[in-house]
Amino acid sequence: MAAAVGTWAFSMPAVRKLSLLLKKGAGATDSVQEAMAEIENSEETGQYIIGRGGYPNKDGLVQCDAAVMEGLPGRFGAVAALHGISTPLAVARKVMDKSSHSLLVGEGAMAFAKEEGFVVEENEQMLTQHSADAYQEYLGNKASLTGHDTLGLIALDVHGNITVGVSTSGSPFKYPGRVGDSPLPGCGLYADHQVGAAAATGEGDKIMCFCPCFHVILLMKQGLSPKEACESVLKHITYQMGHENMFELGIVAMNMKGETGAASSIQFTYCVWSQENDSIEQLIQPSFQP
Ligand code: SD4
């Protein structure tokens, strides 16, 4: 039974695309790559945007993080602080499929992408009017934006394979070279073909200290539902941080039956589709109250 889930309301077109591909029997990884690329390469996909149109770093350069993980052991690829490429997840896929490495960063990631035939664009091409204006405003008052722009997609295909992909331009106006949780396995994403997959969004600098996606998978392995597992992890982190210091974190998860669930420290919208109902729902997860 195929199923798909995506983080934030702006995942709606991507989840729709996943539903169309998965219904036709496409593989989970191909589907995630194709659905992600449409949003990455689109200039206007919502208030917070990934890939082309993402917010630049403090020097004005759009630097993206992306990763893909299949449920099968050792199938992971990621890029971080990659610039000039409008579809970062496709490069992460190449790292997984074509290299002996798991994570490539910065200039090395760009050189690898070039070798694999990706077109490297000028930074101006990666900026949009919206992101360029936001950067000018930042230069004027140095006030950093808060917001979440990670698109996380989980797909379970009709063949029983599960894949999770994430893509983000990270925190707006970040320090050059900053890497968030998204391209780190266990932190921004995790998949296990016996259990399911999870993806995270929020303040990556904090998220990476807790490996929340791996934790969710471990709990699902022990028999918790995706929702119970996400809630349990959020509760654990909130307890460790203290409620007043809790940072912004949203987690979505899916098990191998295609059941999904989420938990979040702030109100969080996510989109789900299952072959059984064949309708895409936008669900609002209220903020977690310990
Ligand atoms: C990151 N979790 O890089 C990602 C994206 C995000 O505000 O939510 N940024 O921290």
Side-chain angles (χ1 to χ4, degrees), residues 65 147-150 168 170-172 178 180-182 201-205 207:
D65 298 344
H148 303 281
D149 58 358
T150 302
T168 182
S171 55
R178 177 265 189 191
D181 60 306
S182 299
T201 179
E203 289 175 47
D205 299 285
I207 294 172

Side-chain angles (χ1 to χ4, degrees), residues 6-290:
T7 56
W8 304 110
F10 79 100
S11 70
M12 182 60 101
V15 172
R16 184 171 299 117
K17 182 85 191 176
L18 284 177
S19 72
L20 297 173
L21 292 166
L22 293 169
K23 269 194 284 189
K24 282 195 286 187
T29 306
D30 288 343
S31 302
V32 165
Q33 183 179 330
E34 198 173 327
M36 188 70 84
E38 277 193 6
I39 309 286
E40 287 176 322
N41 208 2
S42 154
E43 294 189 356
E44 292 301 335
T45 16
Q47 191 181 0
Y48 303 113
I49 26 205
I50 62 171
R52 191 188 303 283
Y55 289 120
N57 67 17
K58 81 176 184 63
D59 291 345
L61 191 65
V62 180
Q63 282 189 318
C64 298
D65 298 344
V68 62
M69 189 166 196
E70 294 180 341
L72 293 171
R75 296 284 297 154
F76 174 81
V79 289
L82 173 70
H83 65 92
I85 311 266
S86 61
T87 54
L89 187 118
V91 184
R93 168 94 185 266
K94 288 280 185 199
V95 172
M96 177 173 81
D97 285 347
K98 296 280 181 70
S99 83
S100 55
H101 305 301
S102 286
L103 170 60
L104 292 177
V105 306
E107 297 301 320
M110 200 172 76
F112 172 79
K114 263 191 208 167
E115 281 173 24
E116 289 298 327
F118 287 85
V119 176
V120 178
E121 298 182 54
E122 294 298 322
N123 190 50
E124 287 65 37
Q125 302 301 120
M126 294 293 288
L127 289 165
T128 57
Q129 195 61 50
H130 172 79
S131 59
D133 288 350
Y135 180 61
Q136 287 309 318
E137 205 173 304
Y138 160 76
L139 288 180
N141 60 23
K142 292 286 174 204
S144 247
L145 288 169
T146 54
H148 303 281
D149 58 358
T150 302
L151 178 55
L153 296 174
I154 302 174
L156 176 65
D157 67 27
V158 293
H159 316 288
N161 299 307
I162 197 159
T163 298
V164 53
V166 290
S167 186
T168 182
S169 55
S171 55
F173 321 127
K174 62 194 176 186
Y175 201 89
R178 177 265 189 191
V179 175
D181 60 306
S182 299
L184 306 179
C187 300
L189 74 171
Y190 205 80
D192 180 319
H193 73 298
Q194 290 176 336
V195 182
T201 179
E203 289 175 47
D205 299 285
K206 298 273 175 15
I207 294 172
M208 68 168 75
C209 306
F210 294 91
C211 291
C213 291
F214 186 61
H215 195 173
V216 164
I217 297 299
L218 287 183
L219 293 175
M220 284 174 20
K221 196 169 190 163
Q222 288 166 18
L224 269 64
S225 71
K227 183 165 182 54
E228 288 167 343
C230 291
E231 279 176 354
S232 179
V233 168
L234 205 78
K235 195 171 174 179
H236 172 80
I237 299 172
T238 307
Y239 180 73
Q240 281 193 298
M241 287 297 294
H243 191 49
E244 333 69 63
N245 300 322
M246 185 54 194
F247 53 91
E248 296 188 353
L249 165 65
I251 318 171
V252 290
M254 181 190 288
N255 63 20
M256 296 308 287
K257 288 187 256 175
E259 295 164 344
T260 53
S264 179
S265 61
I266 52 161
Q267 184 174 298
F268 168 62
T269 307
Y270 64 108
C271 299
V272 297
W273 168 81
S274 77
Q275 199 173 13
E276 196 174 18
N277 304 327
D278 199 18
S279 69
I280 300 163
E281 279 181 284
Q282 189 170 296
L283 302 174
I284 297 174
Q285 178 67 40
S287 69
F288 172 74
Q289 300 299 331

